[in-house]
C-alpha cells in the first residue's frame, strides 16, 4: 500500500538566478547561477550528486534537447541527467523525479534544475507548441489570455458576481504581488502598483488588463534533495522536508463533456485533495502557512484559492479584497512576487516557487520574511483551464 513521501526527503540546498530580460546571459549562464547557489547552500561537492532531473520547455531555442545541456554546462560527474517537460509544470516534474529517486533509495543526493530563455524566442508571449496530431482537429484555437479570460467569465456567471467587483478583486491580486515583488532583488518587476494603474490599464482580454497578466522572462532555479538522515550527517539543522507531492492531469473530461462549467480547475481540486491526504492535513486553512500558486493571470490565483480549499466557493473575491492572502493576511500568497513579478520562464517556474517557500521556512527571506511559517504549498499549473497538468507540493519544517 502506498505510504507517501511525508518527511522522507529533505531539501539540502536551493538556488535561483536573477529573473528578467537576461540578454547578458545564455541558458548555460543561468543554469550556473542557480547551480552555484544551490551547491554552496547544500555544502557539497559535485561528486556527491547521484542523479539529475532537467526541466526545459522550448527546447529548440538556445537550450537544446536531452540531458546533455545540463551535464555539459555544469560539468556534472557523468551522472544520469533526465530531461523532463510537462508544459508549465515542468519544474515541479523535475523535482518529483529527484524526490522520488531519493525516497526510493535509488540515490543519496539528487538535483532538479529548470531553465528557460524565453526572451530569445522573439515572441511577446509563449511560443506556440505542438499539441499532437489529432487535438488541433477538434480543439478551439485560442491564446492564453483569452482562455483565462473565459475562466473569469464563467466564474462570474456561476457565482453571480458583479463585473466591477471581480475586476477590483483581480486587481488586488496583482497589487498584492507587486508589493511583495518590490522587496525581491531577484524578481523581474520590482515596482509597486496602485489600484488606479491596474484598473485603468489597457485591456488584453476582458476582464484581464495589462497588470493581470504575467510576463515573459529568462531564469533558472535548482533544488538539491536528500534524506533527512544524510542532511543531518552533513551538519544541516532546521530541515525543510516534503510532506506531499501530487500531480493530476486532464483526461479530456473538461473539454469533451458537459460536466465542467469552466469556472474552476478540475485537476487542482483533485491534486489538492490527494496532497492534503498525503500530508495529513485535514483543515488546509489552519495547516498551510503560505502558498506560491501559478498566477499566470490574476484570475488564476483567485480561483485557485477556492480550488485549494483556502476560500469557500464563490467567496475568494471577498477574501482577496479583505486581504486574506496579503503578506500580513490569513494565508499569505506570492510572498516573492509570484509569476506576476518574476515572469514565467516555463522550465524554471515550479522550482523558483519552491525556492521562496524554502527560504521562508528557514527564516532567510530578508525583508519579505513572514513571522513563523511552518508549512508551505506550491501550486504549479501547465496548460489552460480546459486541459492542463497540476502539480501540488507541500513542504514544511521537519516534524511539523
Amino acid at each position: 500500500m502506498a505510504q507517501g513521501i511525508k518527511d522522507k526527503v529533505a531539501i539540502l540546498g536551493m538556488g535561483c538566478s536573477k529573473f528578467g530580460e537576461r540578454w547578458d546571459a545564455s541558458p548555460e549562464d543561468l543554469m550556473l547561477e542557480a547551480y552555484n547557489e544551490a551547491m554552496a547552500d547544500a555544502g557539497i561537492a559535485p561528486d556527491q550528486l547521484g542523479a539529475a532531473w532537467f526541466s526545459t520547455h522550448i527546447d529548440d531555442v538556445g537550450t537544446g534537447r536531452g540531458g546533455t545541456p545540463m551535464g555539459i554546462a555544469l560539468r556534472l560527474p557523468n551522472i544520469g541527467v533526465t530531461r523532463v517537460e510537462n508544459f508549465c509544470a515542468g519544474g515541479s516534474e523535475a523535482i518529483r523525479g529527484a524526490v522520488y529517486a531519493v525516497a526510493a533509495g535509488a540515490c543519496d543526493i539528487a538535483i532538479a534544475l529548470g531553465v528557460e530563455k524565453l526572451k530569445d524566442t522573439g515572441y511577446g508571449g509563449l511560443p506556440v507548441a505542438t499539441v499532437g496530431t489529432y487535438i488541433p482537429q477538434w480543439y478551439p484555437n485560442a491564446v492564453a489570455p483569452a482562455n483565462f479570460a473565459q475562466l473569469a467569465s464563467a466564474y462570474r456567471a456561476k457565482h453571480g458576481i458583479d463585473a466591477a467587483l471581480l475586476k477590483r478583486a483581480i486587481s488586488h491580486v496583482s497589487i498584492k504581488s507587486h508589493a511583495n515583488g518590490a522587496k525581491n532583488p531577484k524578481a523581474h518587476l520590482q515596482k509597486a502598483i496602485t489600484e488606479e494603474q491596474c484598473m485603468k490599464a489597457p485591456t488584453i482580454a476582458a476582464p484581464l488588463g495589462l497588470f493581470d497578466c504575467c510576463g515573459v522572462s529568462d531564469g533558472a532555479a535548482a533544488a538539491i534533495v536528500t534524506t533527512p538522515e544524510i542532511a543531518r550527517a552533513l551538519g544541516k539543522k532546521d530541515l525543510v522536508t516534503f510532506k506531499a507531492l501530487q500531480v493530476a492531469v486532464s483526461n479530456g473530461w473538461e473539454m469533451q463533456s458537459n460536466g465542467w462549467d469552466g469556472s474552476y480547475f478540475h485537476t487542482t481540486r483533485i491534486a489538492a485533495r490527494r496532497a492534503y491526504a498525503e500530508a495529513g492535513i485535514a483543515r488546509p486553512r489552519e495547516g498551510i502557512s503560505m502558498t506560491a500558486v501559478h498566477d499566470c493571470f490574476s484570475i488564476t490565483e483567485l480561483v485557485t484559492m477556492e480550488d485549494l480549499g483556502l476560500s469557500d466557493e464563490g467567496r475568494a473575491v471577498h477574501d482577496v479584497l479583505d486581504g486574506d492572502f496579503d503578506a500580513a493576511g490569513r494565508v499569505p500568497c506570492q510572498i516573492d512576487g509570484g509569476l506576476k513579478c518574476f515572469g514565467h520562464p516555463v522550465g524554471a517556474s515550479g522550482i523558483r516557487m519552491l525556492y521562496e517557500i524554502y527560504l521562508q521556512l528557514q527564516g532567510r527571506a530578508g525583508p519579505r520574511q513572514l513571522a513563523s511559517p511552518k508549512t508551505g504549498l506550491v501550486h504549479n499549473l501547465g496548460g489552460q483551464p480546459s486541459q492542463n497538468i497540476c502539480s501540488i507540493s507541500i513542504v514544511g519544517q521537519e516534524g511539523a
Side-chain angles (χ1 to χ4, degrees):
M1 184 175 181
Q3 298 177 352
I5 59 167
K6 185 176 181 180
D7 289 333
K8 294 180 180 179
V9 179
I11 299 174
L12 189 60
M14 291 199 72
C16 182
S17 76
K18 170 75 171 67
F19 278 43
E21 295 186 341
R22 295 296 307 272
W23 307 113
D24 63 314
S26 66
E28 291 78 9
D29 293 327
L30 296 175
M31 282 191 265
L32 196 60
E33 278 186 41
Y35 172 78
N36 283 343
E37 182 184 352
M39 292 293 284
D41 188 31
I44 60 172
D47 62 6
Q48 290 174 275
L49 294 171
W53 275 261
F54 176 45
S55 168
T56 60
H57 180 58
I58 312 297
D59 51 36
D60 290 330
V61 180
T63 306
R65 294 176 175 172
T68 51
M70 179 178 175
I72 292 171
L74 306 180
R75 294 291 189 266
L76 296 178
N78 300 114
I79 58 176
V81 181
T82 302
R83 178 183 174 268
V84 297
E85 187 279 317
N86 219 348
F87 293 142
C88 304
S92 293
E93 195 66 41
I95 290 171
R96 185 163 69 129
V99 167
Y100 281 2
V102 168
C107 64
D108 289 335
I109 302 175
I111 182 171
L113 184 145
V115 66
E116 210 78 58
K117 277 283 289 175
L118 288 181
K119 300 307 293 187
D120 291 2
T121 67
Y123 282 80
L126 297 181
V128 177
T130 178
V131 290
T133 304
Y134 297 108
I135 290 178
Q137 296 181 28
W138 57 266
Y139 200 82
N141 184 23
V143 295
N147 288 326
F148 286 85
Q150 288 180 331
L151 172 71
S153 299
Y155 177 85
R156 185 171 70 83
K158 179 178 182 178
H159 299 294
I161 296 170
D162 178 72
L165 181 64
L166 180 61
K167 181 63 177 177
R168 278 193 59 227
I170 62 175
S171 293
H172 187 84
V173 166
S174 299
I175 293 163
K176 169 264 302 170
S177 294
H178 274 273
N180 295 338
K183 301 176 182 178
N184 196 330
K186 291 194 175 185
H188 184 167
L189 305 177
Q190 298 174 33
K191 290 185 179 180
I193 60 172
T194 66
E195 182 175 278
E196 183 179 15
Q197 282 178 297
C198 204
M199 295 282 285
K200 293 183 177 180
T203 298
I204 304 300
L208 304 177
L210 180 64
F211 289 106
D212 294 308
C213 311
C214 87
V216 171
S217 66
D218 305 328
I224 300 171
V225 298
T226 188
T227 65
E229 294 76 18
I230 292 173
R232 281 190 287 271
L234 291 170
K236 297 295 182 178
K237 300 178 181 179
D238 302 321
L239 299 185
V240 174
T241 59
F242 284 84
K243 311 297 181 181
L245 209 171
Q246 292 289 331
V247 175
V249 178
S250 291
N251 64 3
W253 174 80
E254 298 100 319
M255 193 67 196
Q256 300 174 25
S257 78
N258 294 324
W260 180 65
D261 62 16
S263 69
Y264 64 97
F265 293 92
H266 181 59
T267 55
T268 297
R269 296 188 177 192
I270 293 171
R273 183 170 65 247
R274 292 173 182 166
Y276 292 145
E278 185 177 15
I281 295 174
R283 293 181 294 275
R285 299 180 202 192
E286 300 171 19
I288 299 297
S289 303
M290 57 189 164
T291 64
V293 307
H294 198 94
D295 58 322
C296 47
F297 300 91
S298 55
I299 186 62
T300 314
E301 179 179 325
L302 186 145
V303 170
T304 297
M305 294 300 101
E306 296 182 15
D307 295 337
L308 295 176
L310 300 177
S311 284
D312 292 333
E313 276 205 53
R315 293 296 304 175
V317 166
H318 306 285
D319 291 344
V320 163
L321 289 171
D322 287 343
D324 283 10
F325 309 115
D326 291 2
R330 173 168 55 88
V331 185
C333 181
Q334 320 298 40
I335 302 306
D336 64 351
L339 274 74
K340 185 66 196 66
C341 291
F342 270 82
H344 182 29
V346 181
S349 288
I351 305 175
R352 188 272 304 160
M353 287 190 269
L354 180 63
Y355 175 77
E356 177 68 15
I357 299 293
Y358 167 69
L359 292 181
Q360 289 284 345
L361 290 170
Q362 292 213 321
R364 296 162 50 194
R368 306 182 307 281
Q369 183 63 48
L370 300 176
S372 55
K374 302 296 182 186
T375 58
L377 180 149
V378 174
H379 162 269
N380 193 194
L381 188 77
Q384 50 203 350
S386 59
Q387 182 176 289
N388 57 73
I389 297 105
C390 178
S391 172
I392 292 182
S393 309
I394 299 175
V395 296
Q397 296 171 352
E398 187 180 23

